[in-house]
């Protein structure tokens, strides 16, 4: 979170310098697109790499380039059991979720925007049949219609966790990275 805050303050000063130039552009007021990438869930057990993707949209909510971002995504919150690693078994827990994020679009070059974001994520875990919530932080990069981002979900929902050697609870913390294409909004 500290790194995102530092990036945010550094890009604000860069934005102030670029705003004096004539080639500075304001972002489109609405974006919609598709995202795909990978996620790594770091809960109990060893982390496992899974596909991640969905649809995203954002729209400007203030006179400054502050946006409300949402969408519908699929993620796997599964894990590799510590004790069953020799059998190469992992548990899948499919997660359909919707983020509600605030993002600030900072213009650093023509058609290039840095977009730090923070907010909440909520959804349904299909295997455990439980609600899952997390705080999401990260940063995106928008170049024309191309979009890239990285982020981290900090789990706030505790889930019961049982195996042969452990009886307790766990929280899902997940790193993700995506690449995408905006079909509406090109900057």
């Amino acid at each position: 979170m500290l790194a995102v805050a530092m990036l945010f303050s550094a890009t604000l000063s860069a934005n102030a310098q670029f705003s004096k130039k004539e080639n500075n552009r304001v972002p489109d007021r609405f974006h919609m697109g598709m995202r795909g990438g990978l996620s790594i869930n770091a809960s109990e057990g060893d982390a496992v790499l899974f596909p991640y993707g969905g649809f995203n949209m954002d729209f400007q909510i203030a006179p400054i380039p502050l946006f409300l971002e949402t969408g519908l995504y699929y993620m796997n919150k599964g894990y590799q059991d510590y004790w069953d690693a020799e059998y190469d078994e992992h548990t899948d827990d499919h997660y359909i979720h919707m983020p509600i994020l605030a993002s600030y679009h900072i213009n650093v070059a023509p058609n290039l925007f840095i977009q730090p974001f923070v907010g909440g994520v909520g959804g349904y875990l299909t295997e455990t049949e439980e609600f899952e919530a997390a705080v999401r932080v990260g940063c995106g990069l928008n170049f024309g219609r191309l979009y890239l981002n990285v982020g981290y979900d900090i789990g706030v929902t505790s889930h019961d966790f049982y195996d042969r050697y452990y009886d307790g609870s766990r929280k899902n913390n997940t790193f993700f990275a995506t690449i995408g294409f905006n079909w509406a909004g090109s900057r």
Side-chain angles (χ1 to χ4, degrees):
M1 290 177 73
L2 180 61
V4 171
M6 290 174 63
L7 176 65
F8 184 74
S9 66
T11 53
L12 278 178
S13 65
N15 188 37
Q17 292 174 358
F18 280 107
S19 66
K20 297 175 186 174
K21 296 184 178 182
E22 291 180 12
N23 62 1
N24 190 31
R25 300 183 69 181
V26 290
D28 291 340
R29 296 178 58 86
F30 175 77
H31 303 92
M32 180 181 282
M34 206 166 84
R35 312 282 185 258
L38 297 171
S39 66
I40 300 172
N41 191 36
S43 63
E44 291 300 321
D46 292 332
V48 180
L49 194 64
F50 291 109
Y52 174 54
F55 296 96
N56 177 293
M57 73 172 101
D58 67 10
F59 51 92
Q60 192 169 355
I61 58 173
I64 60 174
L66 181 65
F67 285 73
L68 181 65
E69 192 173 322
T70 189
L72 188 62
Y73 289 90
Y74 162 80
M75 180 184 281
N76 193 331
K77 294 277 188 169
Y79 56 92
Q80 175 83 33
D81 189 340
Y82 281 130
W83 315 111
D84 291 331
E86 62 204 42
Y87 302 110
D88 196 27
E89 294 180 10
H90 69 269
T91 300
D92 287 323
D93 206 352
H94 305 288
Y95 180 44
I96 308 301
H97 67 280
M98 186 168 109
I100 304 291
L101 308 171
S103 65
Y104 191 81
H105 296 206
I106 303 160
N107 184 221
V108 294
N111 281 341
L112 179 62
F113 291 83
I114 294 176
Q115 300 172 208
F117 55 85
V118 65
V121 179
Y124 182 73
L125 294 165
T126 61
E127 183 70 23
T128 56
E129 298 180 351
E130 295 178 309
F131 176 77
E132 169 79 0
V135 173
R136 177 170 284 188
V137 295
C139 192
L141 182 69
N142 186 4
F143 182 73
R145 294 192 181 275
L146 178 67
Y147 180 81
L148 307 159
N149 76 2
V150 295
Y152 194 75
D153 289 349
I154 303 162
V156 296
T157 307
S158 292
H159 303 285
D160 292 335
F161 180 74
Y162 305 102
D163 68 11
R164 289 181 283 193
Y165 303 101
Y166 181 77
D167 182 7
S169 65
R170 65 176 171 84
K171 292 183 179 180
N172 291 318
N173 297 316
T174 308
F175 171 80
F176 63 90
T178 68
I179 185 169
F181 176 82
N182 289 331
W183 61 74
S186 62
R187 59 181 189 273

